[in-house]
Amino acid sequence: MVSPSRFLRSWIWIATGIQALSVLRSSDVSAAAFPSLINATIDDIRAGLEGGMFSSVDLVAAYLGRIDEVNDEFKAVTEINPDALDIAEALDAERAQGKVRGPLHGVPILLKNNIATLDKTNTTAGSLALVGARPPRDAFVASRLRAAGAILLGKANLSQWANFRSSNSSSGWSAHGGQVMGSYVENQDPSGSSSGSGVATALGLAAACLGTETDGSILSPSHRNNIVGIKPTVGLTSRDLVIPISEHQDTIGPMARTVKDAAYVLQAIAGQDVNDNYTSAIPDSIPALPDYVAACDADALSGARLGVPSNAIELFLEFFDTAQPEVDAFVAATRTIADAGAVVVQGTNFTNLTEWANSDAETIVLRADFITNLAAYLRQLTTNPNNITSLADVRRFTQTVLPGPEEFPSRDTATWDQALDPVSGFNNSDPRFFPSLQENLFLGGEGGLFGALDRHNLDAIILPTLFASGFAAIVGAPVVTVPLGFYPAGAPVTRNSRGNLVDTAPNIPFGFSFLGRRFDEAKLIGFAYAFEQRHQIRNRVPPLVVPKTEVRKG
């Protein structure tokens, strides 16, 4: 295990002969104008690298310094890749020889700690059970990033097992990485499960991050940390060697500070993979993937038909009685969208919303998939020190490391207990599985998101991000969230169900989501970009702590 604190405080820049520095402060920044890394875009970084303002080695050093400054407080990063500086040096050498692989060449990116990499970092889903386990190769999305020239800086912390263990844990907690803290309020719930990816992106600890989502795990930490998140269509990005929950709902997507940055990362990781047959569903009518970066068009909202499912907003307000500021900001934003030339259609309701709210089909699908899909992942490991081969093994390990960092029984294993129940539990090859899957497809299809899109001839559905994920999750549909606003002064302070983190309070961010049909990412990215260019809310409130380390030329 390579912990950030141990690695960062002992680094030596042998390869380039640069003197070791534990922290590079803002006073060291080159006189040439360059944005702070908390705001620097991938285009800014490309221009800096191409213009010789700094090297990729300099850039990695700066991000390592920023992580060193704040990670003890936020615990956003679980491990640092000890080879990151060497990789940066090699990519600098390629650039010097005229070889540039693409816009991500020499750009540092963090991966959520359930995305396997065949390097010196662990891939654990936050569990000590998988420390020391080794995959046979990089996950497909990790290999795509490497091929694009990105530097895999390390692993971002997460809600353990992607929030699929306990009924009484907290978002952002894992035995491997500790408790992630949100980036805007003291003791803020970071939301999850891509909690570390959200906080690391917000604080500028990498140029961007990868997250994963089953239902809300990219969207929720993105909106609570004031960043952009793209939850792709299931099948657009391969899940190969990503620790799974559900083959029917899991997807991997970018988390970034701008829509265009997220589009750059999505462009690099999307595509067909023989090791994930869901990627074969990418439409044959697309001879090549859409150009997601070119989709960032400031005029994309002009003429678009965007629907508001009023019954969904009303339903969620019954459950989230403190969320009125998010709805008020959403309503105001629809006027901005209309001013940009979009047609906002009210009352595009989800016809089977009540049945969706009362259904347990999604839970049944996820439990059954998890039993099967986790075992399939574990079978591929080439090294498995704790001989973990099944969900039953994971539960046994978690419950017997007492009174250790797995924190059982304080954080229970209720989700697994239900999945493994000898009477009611089953895997996804059981005949009892298929009716629940079909129920999901109806409730998210004709009875939900897809039905509303089709009946009203819409280009997208729009919702406050707090309410958005579930409708898309059960049918594998894409969603893009962008920053919308912050809870106002005087907003009540509420805490999470465990009582240890602040859920809502003044200055906590929230987002605006665009939901669409499968493989409509380019369209949604265009809408999100056009809205982002008009709204420009992200810098209105600074994070709780802003790292001082900035990039300098070595």
Side-chain angles (χ1 to χ4, degrees):
M1 181 186 304
V2 186
S3 71
S5 58
R6 188 174 68 190
F7 173 73
L8 291 168
R9 291 173 185 143
S10 61
W11 75 35
I12 301 176
W13 298 356
I14 296 174
T16 57
I18 300 174
Q19 294 270 324
L21 297 173
S22 62
V23 179
L24 305 172
R25 297 298 177 183
S26 56
S27 59
D28 295 323
V29 177
S30 167
F34 187 79
S36 167
L37 288 175
I38 204 164
N39 290 319
T41 66
I42 289 174
D43 280 341
D44 292 328
I45 292 169
R46 290 174 65 195
L49 291 168
E50 290 167 3
M53 293 175 64
F54 49 82
S55 67
S56 290
V57 168
D58 300 327
L59 189 60
V60 168
Y63 282 125
L64 294 178
R66 293 170 75 84
I67 294 168
D68 190 37
E69 280 188 73
V70 303
N71 203 56
D72 285 348
E73 179 176 354
F74 291 96
K75 291 184 170 57
V77 181
T78 302
E79 295 191 13
I80 290 296
N81 182 357
D83 295 327
L85 286 164
D86 291 338
I87 294 167
E89 184 186 21
L91 289 164
D92 283 335
E94 286 187 12
R95 184 182 294 277
Q97 294 164 5
K99 178 183 178 181
V100 177
R101 303 186 192 189
L104 297 184
H105 187 106
V107 175
I109 291 177
L110 286 163
L111 308 187
K112 185 177 179 179
N113 192 15
N114 59 352
I115 301 172
T117 51
L118 190 60
D119 56 23
K120 294 174 184 174
T121 63
N122 284 287
T123 306
T124 67
S127 170
L128 299 184
L130 294 183
V131 171
R134 299 287 289 166
R137 59 186 181 277
D138 281 338
F140 181 80
V141 292
S143 68
R144 295 277 287 206
L145 286 174
R146 289 194 204 273
I151 298 165
L152 305 190
L153 189 61
K155 297 291 173 63
N157 200 359
L158 74 166
S159 310
Q160 192 181 62
W161 294 106
N163 262 347
F164 209 70
R165 164 187 157 175
S166 304
S167 65
N168 64 345
S169 191
S170 51
S171 287
W173 177 85
S174 74
H176 188 189
Q179 176 64 62
V180 181
M181 293 296 180
S183 48
Y184 277 82
V185 171
E186 189 171 357
N187 295 321
Q188 179 191 338
D189 187 330
S191 199
S193 66
S194 303
S195 313
S197 297
V199 173
T201 301
L203 298 179
L205 307 187
C209 294
L210 286 192
T212 70
E213 174 151 334
T214 307
D215 187 341
S217 290
I218 290 172
L219 299 175
S220 191
S222 292
H223 99 119
R224 281 293 185 245
N225 288 285
N226 195 30
I227 62 169
V228 174
I230 299 178
K231 180 258 179 181
T233 301
V234 171
L236 182 66
T237 55
S238 169
R239 288 82 53 85
D240 171 53
L241 288 176
V242 177
I243 298 175
I245 293 176
S246 168
E247 65 184 84
H248 293 95
Q249 293 188 201
D250 291 352
T251 188
I252 295 86
M255 301 168 72
R257 289 178 292 277
T258 70
V259 174
K260 191 174 184 182
D261 284 358
Y264 275 124
V265 177
L266 182 62
Q267 198 76 55
I269 64 173
Q272 292 190 353
D273 173 22
V274 295
N275 292 310
D276 182 352
N277 64 356
Y278 282 70
T279 63
S280 65
I282 295 174
D284 291 336
S285 60
I286 301 174
L289 287 173
D291 188 333
Y292 299 119
V293 178
C296 294
D297 177 1
D299 294 323
L301 286 167
S302 180
R305 287 179 56 83
L306 307 178
V308 179
S310 308
N311 63 340
I313 294 175
E314 292 165 3
L315 174 72
F316 272 92
L317 279 175
E318 294 178 13
F319 293 97
F320 296 95
D321 56 1
T322 61
Q324 192 63 51
E326 301 192 38
V327 174
D328 292 343
F330 171 81
V331 171
T334 62
R335 293 192 285 270
T336 300
I337 285 172
D339 289 343
V343 177
V344 178
V345 184
Q346 300 290 338
T348 57
N349 290 344
F350 299 150
T351 54
N352 290 80
L353 182 69
T354 301
E355 291 88 341
W356 173 85
N358 293 320
S359 172
D360 61 356
E362 181 180 17
T363 300
I364 291 169
V365 167
L366 299 188
R367 288 177 190 158
D369 273 348
F370 192 48
I371 292 172
T372 301
N373 298 156
L374 178 62
Y377 173 86
L378 295 170
R379 280 195 299 272
Q380 298 182 77
L381 297 176
T382 59
T383 303
N384 191 344
N386 293 305
N387 194 29
I388 304 297
T389 63
S390 66
L391 178 56
D393 289 342
V394 172
R395 181 173 66 170
R396 187 180 309 113
F397 179 96
T398 302
Q399 293 181 347
T400 55
V401 183
L402 295 172
E406 291 286 344
E407 295 192 15
F408 178 84
S410 172
R411 299 177 192 266
D412 63 35
T413 56
T415 299
W416 303 342
D417 299 340
Q418 293 159 349
L420 295 171
D421 185 277
V423 175
S424 60
F426 49 86
N427 66 23
N428 66 9
S429 63
D430 190 285
R432 291 171 289 180
F433 174 78
F434 189 69
S436 293
L437 178 62
Q438 292 301 108
E439 184 176 337
N440 272 350
L441 295 177
F442 171 74
L443 292 175
E446 174 58 30
L449 173 62
F450 293 160
L453 288 167
D454 291 344
R455 279 191 304 277
H456 299 279
N457 191 28
L458 302 173
D459 293 295
I461 289 287
I462 52 176
L463 279 169
T465 300
L466 181 64
F467 309 157
S469 69
F471 304 113
I474 56 177
V475 287
V479 187
V480 180
T481 180
V482 291
L484 174 59
F486 303 86
Y487 272 80
V493 176
T494 64
R495 303 188 79 83
N496 65 341
S497 58
R498 191 174 175 86
N500 65 325
L501 298 172
V502 173
D503 188 24
T504 60
N507 290 340
I508 284 184
F510 48 82
F512 186 108
S513 280
F514 298 84
L515 298 75
R517 296 174 177 85
R518 288 172 54 80
F519 300 107
D520 254 2
E521 280 79 4
K523 184 181 288 187
L524 301 185
I525 286 168
F527 299 156
Y529 179 83
F531 175 70
E532 173 193 57
Q533 298 309 297
R534 287 163 175 80
H535 198 54
Q536 295 293 328
I537 193 74
R538 187 173 169 269
N539 290 326
R540 186 168 298 178
V541 175
L544 183 64
V545 175
V546 177
K548 296 182 174 63
T549 304
E550 298 292 354
V551 64
R552 61 170 268 172
K553 186 169 184 176

